[in-house]
Amino acid sequence: MNYPIERVAVIGAGTMGAAIAAHVANAGLPVLLLDIVPRELTPAEEKKGLTLEHPAVRNRLVQEGLKRTLKIKPASFMSRAARKLVTVGNLEDDLGRLADVDWIVEAVVEKLEIKRDLMARIDAVRGEGTLVTTNTSGLPIASIAEGLSDDFRRHFFGTHFFNPPRYMKLLEIIRGDEADPLAVSALAELANRQLGKGVVFTRDTPNFIGNRILSIHGSHVIDYALENDYRFEEVDAVTGPLIGRPKTATFRLQDLVGIDVAAYVGQNLHGLIPDDEHRYVLRSPRVEKLIGALIENGRLGNKSRAGFYRKSKGPGGKPVFEVLDRETLEYEPQQKVELEALAEVGRIPDVGERLRALFDERFAEDRGARLAWAATSQLLGYSAAVAEEIAYDIMSIDNAVRWGFGYELGPFELWDRLGVADTVERMEEGGFEVAEWVKEMLFAEIETFYRVEDGEVTGYYDWATKSYADIHIEEHEIEVDSLRRDAEPVASNRSASLHDMGDGVLLLEFHSKMNAIDDGLVAMMVEAREQLDSDAYYGLVIGNDGPNFSVGANLKQVGEAALAGNFEGIKQASGALQGALQELRYGSKPVVAAVHGMALGGGAEIVLGVSRVVAHSESYIGLVEAGVGLLPAGGGLKELVRRIVSPVMELKEGDPLPLAQKVLETVAMAKTSTSAAEAREMGFLGTHDRIVMNRAHLLYEAKQEVLQMGADGYLAPPPAAVYAGGRDLLAALEVMVWSLQQAGYASEHDALVARKIAFVIAGGDVSSPAWASEEYFLELEREAFAELVSTEKTQARIRHMLETGKPLRN
């Protein structure tokens, strides 16, 4: 049986339910969001004379849930278009509408009887073959569906999203014993391809994989810290990025999740795992005493603006970050954490090497190293202890920990990097009992959990067969490291490389610091263009596997050139980037940018300058040069005018001012999209550009785009004429700048930068509107850029950004 999923319903408009609905809508699927009918009127409803039968009252709870989601930061919705895909209703008037959907997600309160009653109502109205899943975070899946129809049970299983659903990659699927494997596979495929999720299949055990391991682990770290008199900021300095974990570390994570929520989860889990000998940390008396005091005093973390940390105002209104004193329960200024081992190993870039150095005998008495070892060894040991109970394989555990909690490495990946045999020996010497299957693996002379051949991970240890099982790479995933292992680069320098992706497609990879644009990167763009002239290649992808596509120009180089007074050299560098992009754009073969993360400044200009874009949904694109007192000079302004203003002026009675104002506002205010979908609304992406939800599929999809464009008979676009509005348009834009300055939104230098931007947008001060060449606009960009970089205040902004990482308002 096929299971097309085109329409979705989410039941429960609480924090998770509404956010799940938002993310499904982000994927372009229409969503019906339902919640219960209120039992009482609010004072405001009574004042209006409404009754419980009024539609506005009956849908009040679901509307409030949706409104909360619209206000959440970071945003749950990716675009205005996605918001329009969600319709609302209630479980009394609209339950019958569930017959028209293909997938129903239940996300109501975590109480078994409430879920069971709701499932019985759903079973009565759902269509045959409709998928129904529960977003429970720990209730037994089998118990929820017990006693319902055979068709319901065949199409029912668990889908545990992690919060916030838009940003957290992990989706745990709990298939149970009765679900149709084809139904589960259909949902997993949709989650992977359309929702962008990393799917992990788990056993039907309490809290599944991620929350089971990390609830116990987090409680252990807190208990160890209290037992050994660590300050909270000490713990977070050790258990964050130093050991390969997010900056939220331990106590900041408690504040983020909610101290009361974390306590509830722990207490609930404690009762569900009576045979787990490690569960005692969930009800540790010293931990419960501290957490109980915080909850009693309303200190619940970020949501109450006070938890383990508090942000307050110091002298002059400056923000001061305070930390809780565990004895007095009063807040005091954070102390600088000074631990010898951390200072010595902190600069080692590789987490495996860093931890091996940290766990060296010479740091045996270091407080930081002892805490890091206690945290790491417990994570490794506990993951192994419960692995066979909660998971089907070690890869599922590693993926769940990385995707659900932002760890650099999963526990078994990290164990391999530390050395399994040596780590086991040290753990056992310290009294930690290591899982029998791990010792059996070592006894069989299998030294690592993962098999590595020629630098590539090709297998994982399977505790069932007691041997390696092959890892099958998904067709839709291309990694630059794999290309690099397979063959030498076609060309390479310090900033960028050209790789052969196969099938006649080249990849231009940036690898400068933060993928910043410098002369080496531009030189490789020129080399790519020359390679495309041969018959060996059909097209080019520009992309990489770094955290960001490109953060823009190398600001240090710009600042040094300005300090030396080399303004002609700066103009030449801008011209080189412009020329390289124009050559790629007007070449005879397609060039596709595979965009992800930040594409700022010159990075955004590359996005604007190529034939087509395939963007990951989480792409943050913006021309942000105004923040350092500059303007785009790699063709970005020219492209926005060509894309946004010029098409309207090809029509009779076209008015350039509203659109020119939009461009000016976008660039002068350094606006950056919060998603690829919003980038399309802002004009950074075009109608033919594609958005990919799964980051791992990005390079593959970009390559396929190149091949498809070639198969469709790609022809380079003809040279474009760009509308130059001239003096009248410039005067109108300058009025806008003047108004912002008078209202206090722009400083004198902000206004100068904005006027230069307006000058380029208007095509200079030509006496009457005209159609100009692209080169004309590019020359305007270069001249204005050089003029701004020569000013003292722009140079001060550049220096401040390089020194502090923050913009200067001068």
Side-chain angles (χ1 to χ4, degrees), residues 657-658 660-666 668-669 729-743 745-746 754-755 758:
L657 182 57
Q661 287 176 328
K662 175 185 176 182
V663 175
L664 176 59
E665 184 178 306
T666 297
M669 298 181 71
L729 180 59
L730 176 59
L733 294 177
E734 288 182 337
V735 169
M736 176 182 169
V737 175
W738 179 84
S739 299
L740 289 171
Q741 187 178 5
Q742 292 302 304
Y745 294 116
R755 286 195 297 271

Side-chain angles (χ1 to χ4, degrees), residues 126-190:
R126 62 180 278 276
E128 183 177 351
T130 298
L131 305 186
V132 182
T133 67
T134 174
N135 187 54
T136 179
S137 58
L139 293 175
I141 301 299
S143 298
I144 296 174
E146 186 178 349
L148 298 179
S149 68
D150 289 345
D151 187 77
F152 184 98
R153 295 198 310 275
R154 282 199 305 273
H155 298 94
F156 175 76
F157 48 97
T159 48
H160 181 213
F161 287 84
F162 275 61
N163 193 31
R166 170 179 167 182
Y167 301 96
M168 299 306 295
K169 183 174 181 178
L170 178 61
L171 175 65
E172 292 179 322
I173 291 185
I174 310 93
R175 48 193 166 200
D177 297 327
E178 297 186 77
D180 178 0
L182 292 178
V184 176
S185 295
L187 195 284
E189 176 71 8
L190 175 126

